[in-house]
Amino acid sequence: MEIDPFIFRFSIFILSIFIGYYVVWSVTPSLHTPLMSVTNAISSVIIVGAIIAALAGETENIFDTANIFGFLAIILAAVNIFGGFLVTQRMLAMYKKKKKEIK
Amino acid sequence: MISSNLLAIFYLISGVLFILALRGLSSPETSRQGNLFGIIGMAIAIGVTIISVGNFSTGFLYLLVLLLIGGSIGAFIAFKIPMTAMPELVAGFHSLVGLAAVFVAISAFLNPEVFSLGSPGNIKVASLIEMSLGAAIGAITFTGSIIAFLKLRGIMSGSPITFFGQHYLNLILGIILVGLVFYLCKTQADIWFWTIIIISFLVGILLIIPIGGADMPVVISMLNSYSGWAAAGIGFTLENTALIITGALVGSSGAILSYIMCKGMNRSFFNVILGGWGATDQSSSNHSKEQKPVKSGNADDAAFLMKNASSVIIVPGYGMAVAQAQHALREMVDALKKNGVKVTYAIHPVAGRMPGHMNVLLAEANVSYDEVFELEEINNDFANCDVAYVIGANDVTNPVAKTDPQSPIYGMPILDVEKSKSVLFVKRSLSPGYAGIDNDLFYRDNTLMLFADAKKMTEDIIKSL
């Protein structure tokens, strides 16, 4: 009997949870705020769904209700992607180890 | 156009790059590279999706314009936001992910052919369940994050809002949601789908309003987790591996952070979610208002004590963020170091309003991260330290957590500030902290209270040094 493709996706899902579990435990507590902002940015990969939803359908009829929701989702996700990665970058740039100070 | 197999491989690469982005955060040195991996992963995912749709007509132009608009707004916020406002920024961003998930789910429901899920009115049952899950979690994330944002921003009061039967109402709404998903699958009628979204918006509000200000670290982490599960739900609907992998990563990341935050307060997750300390304990704080002797001092006393100390430990808390005192604090530490005093920083897991909040503020003030320590690393050092400088923290230093089993914070891990030879406690008044209980530390012989604004006091100390 053939395996439903859903089972494969579900396997990926479960294994990714485990990867996430071990990777996140190894994140140093002082970087927990950047961790939140970067997870925020990457969860905006939902934009791929938005792009498909927005651009799909006949080219003449791009302003179907379904497309409009796609376009709206694109704006929201774009704010998040740029905002999330850039603010993470800005925070991480501040974490410096200073040279021993001269007394 | 590219084949769907190739497309899936590119999505897998994106997913792996996202894993590396999180992995990079295991140390500050590798973190910047990690962030770069994340950006590349995102660029790949967006790029191949556009190519795969292969629609380069008017719609594509709109897409570019919208990306540019959204991107500029995001970039503008990212560069302008002050570091002290980071908690509300993250809450705000969570709400956007949640709403985007809702919109994508709506779009998939209205036009299922595009995602090959069947035709309107005849969508595969599995897809219907997945998209309702994605939409519901997304909607809860959206309104929940908005409430969290308003509370953190101070637009809405941080005190818990509770009413009779609140938990039953949530339970009933939850059961109704399950029923609605069932009916949606059975009848495929639009009305059920819209009702699911509306009720989920309501649940999001109801879930967050009973949670008080100082429990926000748990709330933010929890919403972080939800935004991941919403993305994963949509990922299953769209059969997209990048979304499934990312959703699972973000979901478990948020869950772990919530766990760490709860452990930092010695409370169970449900205890936090079901509503705050602040609500139940206000009565107990009022009747113990008898006058106890308190030693208070001024900036000169504090400067004298610290100048003659050989080691000082700084304990920052939310009050430091409110007073924006981190820069003044670092200047004070620099002045102390010139006098040959050894200075370190001790950070409690739930200090501030989000995980790692204090670390970011100290980093902003140019404090080297190898001088900043977590609770377990530094707690034994208090016994050998001359002065502990508590600035804006309160409950996390209260020795009652170790001595009084009646206390609501009993069992919470605290920083052993009371063991140091003397304690300087910067605070505006003797009022109790968030937990609504008196801090025993105020009345100890070795404690000197410095009644002032955190920033003002620190600046005055610098002058006297």
Side-chain angles (χ1 to χ4, degrees):
Chain A
M1 226 177 93
E2 212 180 330
I3 300 171
D4 189 324
F6 171 81
I7 301 300
F8 286 118
R9 284 190 286 274
F10 191 67
S11 317
I12 294 174
F13 178 65
I14 297 296
L15 291 176
S16 302
I17 292 179
F18 276 91
I19 295 174
Y21 180 85
Y22 288 107
V23 169
V24 171
W25 271 118
S26 75
V27 171
T28 163
S30 67
L31 291 176
H32 276 163
T33 300
L35 171 69
M36 299 199 83
S37 60
V38 84
T39 49
N40 218 313
I42 64 173
S43 56
S44 306
V45 72
I46 200 154
I47 197 171
V48 302
I51 293 174
I52 300 171
L55 295 187
E58 297 90 67
T59 39
E60 298 311 310
N61 193 14
I62 201 76
F63 286 117
D64 219 14
T65 327
N67 297 97
I68 290 175
F69 275 111
F71 281 122
L72 289 176
I74 289 177
I75 302 189
L76 297 177
V79 173
N80 228 329
I81 291 171
F82 282 81
F85 280 124
L86 288 173
V87 88
T88 310
Q89 193 82 10
R90 196 176 137 209
M91 273 191 273
L92 293 176
M94 298 185 314
Y95 282 84
K96 286 185 219 105
K97 194 146 119 190
K98 273 187 298 187
K99 301 276 172 295
K100 283 274 168 282
E101 277 174 68
I102 313 116
K103 288 204 177 142
Chain B
M1 284 295 229
I2 50 177
S3 84
S4 37
N5 284 338
L6 191 57
L7 189 61
I9 295 208
F10 275 115
Y11 284 142
L12 179 64
I13 295 173
S14 290
V16 171
L17 286 168
F18 291 152
I19 295 172
L20 292 176
L22 298 191
R23 181 78 187 101
L25 290 170
S26 56
S27 100
E29 286 99 54
T30 54
S31 61
R32 283 168 279 261
Q33 193 194 25
N35 200 37
L36 192 64
F37 283 139
I39 296 173
I40 297 171
M42 187 61 75
I44 292 177
I46 295 177
V48 294
T49 310
I50 293 175
I51 296 170
S52 78
V53 176
N55 178 348
F56 291 106
S57 58
T58 17
F60 181 63
L61 269 177
Y62 287 120
L63 170 81
L64 286 186
V65 171
L66 292 181
L67 268 181
L68 208 68
I69 295 175
S72 327
I73 298 173
F76 180 79
I77 298 173
F79 285 118
K80 288 286 167 204
I81 192 93
M83 283 299 143
T84 38
M86 209 44 76
E88 50 262 46
L89 177 76
V90 169
F93 277 168
H94 286 153
S95 73
L96 298 184
V97 180
L99 194 59
V102 174
F103 284 168
V104 174
I106 292 176
S107 193
F109 182 74
L110 294 176
N111 197 359
E113 285 116 331
V114 177
F115 300 101
S116 48
L117 308 174
S119 54
N122 190 22
I123 303 173
K124 284 184 280 182
V125 171
S127 307
L128 272 180
I129 296 176
E130 290 156 3
M131 70 174 78
S132 0
L133 268 179
I137 303 173
I140 292 173
T141 313
F142 173 63
T143 48
S145 303
I146 298 273
I147 300 292
F149 175 84
L150 294 176
K151 284 193 171 190
L152 287 164
R153 191 88 213 156
I155 299 171
M156 208 175 137
S157 153
S159 54
I161 300 171
T162 45
F163 53 85
F164 178 74
Q166 193 163 24
H167 304 321
Y168 293 104
L169 180 64
N170 288 340
L171 187 69
I172 291 166
L173 287 177
I175 294 170
I176 292 178
L177 276 180
V178 176
L180 285 172
V181 175
F182 178 75
Y183 272 103
L184 176 69
C185 295
K186 223 173 135 184
T187 63
Q188 304 257 349
D190 297 25
I191 177 81
W192 304 125
F193 186 69
W194 299 115
T195 321
I196 289 173
I197 293 177
I198 291 167
I199 292 191
S200 304
F201 278 140
L202 192 64
V203 171
I205 297 174
L206 288 171
L207 269 182
I208 308 302
I209 53 168
I211 305 179
D215 285 338
M216 279 300 149
V218 182
V219 171
I220 292 207
S221 319
M222 189 183 79
L223 291 167
N224 186 234
S225 181
Y226 285 0
S227 69
W229 303 130
I234 302 295
F236 276 106
T237 322
L238 310 185
E239 313 189 339
N240 183 310
T241 7
L243 260 175
I244 295 177
I245 295 178
T246 316
L249 288 177
V250 176
S252 54
S253 162
I256 291 174
L257 289 177
S258 318
Y259 170 79
I260 296 176
M261 293 303 113
C262 287
K263 220 179 83 188
M265 297 192 289
N266 189 41
R267 300 172 67 193
S268 77
F269 185 65
F270 285 102
N271 184 304
V272 176
I273 295 308
L274 294 181
W277 263 339
T280 45
D281 302 308
Q282 259 149 18
S283 50
S284 64
S285 68
N286 294 332
H287 59 70
S288 60
K289 273 272 158 74
E290 78 230 51
Q291 287 292 315
K292 280 183 262 181
V294 171
K295 283 201 286 182
S296 80
N298 58 27
D300 294 332
D301 305 332
F304 177 80
L305 262 173
M306 286 199 276
K307 202 156 52 178
N308 293 305
S310 66
S311 64
V312 172
I313 299 179
I314 314 260
V315 181
Y318 182 57
M320 180 188 83
V322 175
Q324 307 255 14
Q326 66 271 30
H327 296 281
L329 184 66
R330 208 252 317 154
E331 282 171 36
M332 184 188 90
V333 170
D334 285 351
L336 286 173
K337 281 185 186 158
K338 279 210 192 87
N339 281 309
V341 184
K342 182 173 169 281
V343 187
T344 44
Y345 299 81
I347 301 201
H348 191 275
V350 295
R353 286 292 184 265
M354 73 185 295
H357 192 182
M358 292 299 119
N359 302 81
V360 170
L361 293 181
L362 292 177
E364 186 202 12
N366 264 322
V367 172
S368 171
Y369 62 79
D370 53 4
E371 291 169 12
V372 182
F373 297 94
E374 303 301 316
L375 180 123
E376 300 87 41
E377 299 171 320
I378 200 165
N379 227 2
N380 292 330
D381 297 357
F382 280 107
N384 306 318
C385 115
D386 295 313
V387 179
Y389 187 72
V390 183
I391 173 167
N394 188 358
D395 290 334
V396 297
T397 62
N398 195 342
V400 149
K402 285 185 293 194
T403 52
D404 179 10
Q406 303 300 320
S407 164
I409 61 167
Y410 182 68
M412 172 168 129
I414 63 154
L415 289 160
D416 294 331
V417 174
E418 84 277 6
K419 289 189 182 153
S420 48
K421 288 200 191 74
S422 44
V423 180
L424 295 170
F425 210 110
V426 187
K427 203 168 179 311
R428 268 178 298 201
S429 69
L430 275 181
S431 62
Y434 169 70
I437 44 169
D438 233 5
N439 193 341
D440 220 19
L441 203 57
F442 299 164
Y443 313 105
R444 299 264 169 136
D445 285 340
N446 60 346
T447 304
L448 191 65
M449 297 299 293
L450 306 169
F451 293 112
D453 173 73
K455 187 177 180 186
K456 174 107 197 349
M457 175 54 72
T458 309
E459 281 166 350
D460 288 347
I461 294 176
I462 300 171
K463 280 182 210 135
S464 325
L465 275 170

